Amino acid sequence: MKKLVTVILTLALMVSLVFAAQPMQMDKTTKMPAYRIDKVEGETMANISAKSKSPDYNPVVHAVKVDSSLNGYGMVVGLTNPLTHFNMGSEDENYFVMAYRQFQGLTASSGHIGAAVSVDNGETWTGYAGLNTNAPGAVAGRYPSAIGGEGYPYIIWNEYAGGGGTYEGRALYAYDALGWAGGFFTDPVDINMTVGNPEDMWVGIPDYSYDAAAGAGYLNVVYTSWTNRNKYLFHSLGIGDDGAVSFTRAVKIYDVETHFQGTANENYTSDAGIGINADGVGYVACTAYWAEEVNGSTYHTFMIRKTEDYGTTWSTSGTNGMPYYYIPDAVLDDAILDTYIPSSVDLEDGTVLEFEGLFIGYDNEVAVDADGGLHLMCLVVPSSDNGVYPTIVEGCGFYHFYSPDPTDANSWQVTFVQSMQETW
């Protein structure tokens, strides 16, 4: 599970990315396609006093400048993993890896992919630039994510060139072939470009899980096709001694065109989050409208598939002959409607605005606990035929959905976490 230190570092690093870094060019004789940025020592950290409405909450946040970004969109998009960590066995052995679109000058492309690695709990960082300057990269990188494995840090993104479909999205990854502190990031590698793969891969969302009994790690990456909004999953067949990953051909994990509402140009389906625990139990989840009403369900809700073998196979039977489990309208009504979000609001002009239902947003987080329970952090707002209303009442905000077994539609527990009415 992600620890508090990850959250603190994410906030600090997102702020610090706006300042320029001075890169150090590596010796041209090295085989590393990326050059390294000088380490930022812990002594240069700035202390920032965080302000809060609570008098009992006054932490000091440590911020360190790691690198700079011309377009930091990968740091704020909801489902990518810009920063992740891997615990190497003890409390003070947290290794971090971060991915971002990198600053290379005001007139340069915003598609440069950069990375930074820390092997001392985030105190110091080593940055890497130009991960996608060599083929098959095209310096047109988008939506980078970072993932930490047992022996290697990985950077995963899509390239805005060289793929198929409308936008030519191409699924790529790079990794440090010498391990966490090796300093030798590879050239870009196609996740899988064999015959039969789908076109136009965008917004890759990775997950790493480790089977301690077998001594095997697994990488799973979910991509969205921006030609048709279907979701595809690449599953690792194996990770080599040098960190190289062999992936399966993509599997269509969500048939958006058939089962959900919308088109590529009028899209109502979120990207898909993924989480798998150490026992191999995991889920993919996205939010969508059913193409046709299912069991009386009309809300924008979570659609879920399950694996019990580290992503090798996924549930094929769910609702009405489709492979998805889902959160029914009745669960949302019982837990939220007229408890946190009213079914109607009196407007200032004297009219009454009636809400037809609830809408689960597009930016969500998926996590799986050690017992195989599914946790979803999501945004919920009221909706009507005229649209959604993200700031109309205090109950518009973050919610936590938990189920010990999502195959049981009645097992969901919902908790209100934080209002977003003033800060949406």
Side-chain angles (χ1 to χ4, degrees):
M1 296 292 288
K2 295 177 182 175
K3 297 185 179 180
L4 178 60
V5 66
T6 306
V7 178
I8 293 173
L9 280 167
T10 301
L11 295 173
L13 295 170
M14 284 173 66
V15 173
S16 61
L17 280 172
V18 300
F19 302 102
Q22 297 300 320
M24 178 179 69
Q25 189 70 38
M26 293 292 288
D27 188 330
K28 294 293 186 180
T29 62
T30 66
K31 294 182 180 180
M32 184 171 67
Y35 59 82
R36 190 171 69 189
I37 296 170
D38 292 325
K39 280 191 175 182
V40 185
E41 300 300 330
E43 291 78 16
T44 64
M45 283 188 174
N47 291 336
I48 303 171
S49 295
K51 295 182 179 180
S52 171
K53 293 181 179 179
S54 171
D56 300 323
Y57 182 75
N58 188 29
V60 173
V61 178
H62 300 285
V64 56
K65 187 183 79 171
V66 174
D67 205 342
S68 305
S69 179
L70 181 63
N71 183 331
Y73 191 56
M75 273 288 189
V76 297
V77 67
L79 282 169
T80 55
N81 294 330
L83 174 68
T84 191
H85 91 283
F86 191 85
N87 183 269
M88 302 302 288
S90 66
E91 191 172 307
D92 60 350
E93 285 187 296
N94 291 302
Y95 287 10
F96 291 86
V97 56
M98 182 167 52
Y100 43 87
R101 290 163 69 178
Q102 190 173 57
F103 181 79
Q104 293 286 354
L106 292 174
T107 60
S109 166
S110 64
H112 288 266
I113 299 297
V117 176
S118 172
V119 294
D120 58 5
N121 290 306
E123 289 292 322
T124 62
W125 293 79
T126 301
Y128 299 90
L131 265 63
N132 62 335
T133 55
N134 290 349
V139 195
R142 298 292 186 269
Y143 301 102
S145 278
I147 198 73
E150 204 70 19
Y152 305 89
Y154 295 88
I155 308 298
I156 291 167
W157 71 97
N158 62 273
E159 199 79 14
Y160 196 6
T166 305
Y167 300 97
E168 299 186 52
R170 186 171 186 168
L172 297 173
Y173 80 102
Y175 64 99
D176 192 327
L178 298 182
W180 275 93
F184 193 92
F185 266 86
T186 66
D187 283 338
V189 182
D190 281 303
I191 286 184
N192 198 317
M193 286 289 284
T194 57
V195 175
N197 269 344
E199 58 188 25
D200 212 5
M201 296 291 93
W202 283 74
V203 192
I205 301 165
D207 177 79
Y208 178 84
S209 50
Y210 184 72
D211 182 353
Y218 298 92
L219 262 173
N220 291 278
V221 191
V222 182
Y223 276 89
T224 294
S225 168
W226 276 20
T227 297
N228 50 39
R229 301 295 173 171
N230 291 331
K231 318 298 177 194
Y232 295 91
L233 181 133
F234 295 94
H235 169 73
S236 65
L237 292 170
I239 299 176
D241 291 338
D242 63 349
V245 186
S246 57
F247 286 96
T248 63
R249 293 184 181 183
V251 174
K252 188 188 293 185
I253 197 90
Y254 286 97
D255 188 344
V256 175
E257 291 178 295
T258 302
H259 298 143
F260 306 141
Q261 284 186 28
T263 65
N265 296 321
E266 192 175 86
N267 177 44
Y268 304 109
T269 303
S270 74
D271 296 310
I274 181 172
I276 301 173
N277 71 11
D279 292 326
V281 177
Y283 306 90
V284 289
C286 71
T287 56
Y289 287 115
W290 292 113
E292 298 179 2
E293 185 176 310
V294 172
N295 298 336
S297 181
T298 61
Y299 292 176
H300 194 256
T301 189
F302 277 106
M303 310 296 185
I304 301 159
R305 295 187 70 177
K306 181 178 182 178
T307 182
E308 296 181 286
D309 52 15
Y310 296 95
T312 304
T313 61
W314 294 83
S315 56
T316 56
S317 61
T319 304
N320 288 17
M322 291 175 284
Y324 320 110
Y325 303 103
Y326 73 109
I327 301 179
D329 293 3
V331 170
L332 300 174
D333 285 344
D334 290 346
I336 299 175
L337 204 61
D338 286 329
T339 300
Y340 298 105
I341 296 176
S343 54
S344 64
V345 171
D346 295 328
L347 302 180
E348 292 183 358
D349 62 3
T351 61
V352 177
L353 176 60
E354 301 281 351
F355 299 129
E356 279 80 31
L358 297 170
F359 182 96
I360 296 180
Y362 296 108
D363 294 333
N364 310 297
E365 183 72 21
V366 176
V368 184
D369 61 37
D371 297 319
L374 175 59
H375 300 258
L376 302 167
M377 291 294 293
C378 60
L379 300 163
V380 182
V381 299
S383 65
S384 74
D385 288 340
N386 295 321
V388 297
Y389 301 85
T391 62
I392 197 165
V393 294
E394 187 176 359
C396 297
F398 281 107
Y399 288 79
H400 172 227
F401 288 73
Y402 165 72
S403 170
D405 183 7
T407 64
D408 178 2
N410 297 313
S411 67
W412 288 99
Q413 303 169 30
V414 183
T415 305
F416 177 58
V417 177
Q418 175 67 44
S419 174
M420 289 285 287
Q421 184 182 18
E422 297 181 2
T423 54
W424 195 273

